[in-house]
Amino acid sequence: MNPGVRNHLLTLAPYELHKKLINNYVLTQQGSTSRLKRDSSRDKTDLDVIRENHKFLWDESSEPSTWEEELAKKYYDKLFKEYCICDLSRYKHNQVAMRWQTESELCKGKGQFICGEKRCEEENNKLRTWEVNFGYVEQGEKKNALVKLRLCPEHSSQLNYKHKKKWEIPLQKNRRNLENKRKQTFFEIWKSLKERTRTRVEIKSTKH
């Protein structure tokens, strides 16, 4: 390296030196700028961190041990835990997603005065309150929580879809039993009438 250039570089501040070296590299090594790109494959946003460390219920006695858990706990503390918001799009598979109310939803009345299904905006006096034993898997561990939902008649029916199926089966059996009994009763009546007719015919024949 030229001594004059070297002396000039030594007089530069670290950041100015860095910029000059990078500019020289870009100008002289065309096509190699990809090496200067930072690996962003492991980058995480705050939302990613919250999702990874989120808990449906935090133990108030335990303190977060990492800054990631602390961030997730701060988000949890901002939620309102009187009523849940649910997603019933997969109700036929008995899969219901639930989360707590946000501040904007609380102010709007979503989940209490408006149906708690996340896509439903029905607001009337027919909303029903359900107490649900919510089972979920969190960080590989099965957990349960007793939560409250306010739902319109349509989504109340979807929430209890599996239970309705269980109720419908015995009803169908009862209907079949009733039909069988009716058939048996009809057959018995027909049989008795037939016997009476035979008896009358026999009586007439004896008279002749």
Side-chain angles (χ1 to χ4, degrees), residues 17 21 132 153 159 191 200:
L17 177 62
L21 292 175
V132 182
L159 178 69
K191 190 176 180 181
R200 287 177 183 175

Side-chain angles (χ1 to χ4, degrees), residues 106-117:
L106 180 74
C107 295
K108 183 182 176 183
K110 178 67 174 175
Q112 184 175 5
F113 305 110
I114 302 173
C115 178
E117 209 285 331

Side-chain angles (χ1 to χ4, degrees), residues 28 54 67-68 131:
T28 58
H54 173 72
W67 72 267
E68 291 94 343
E131 196 171 59

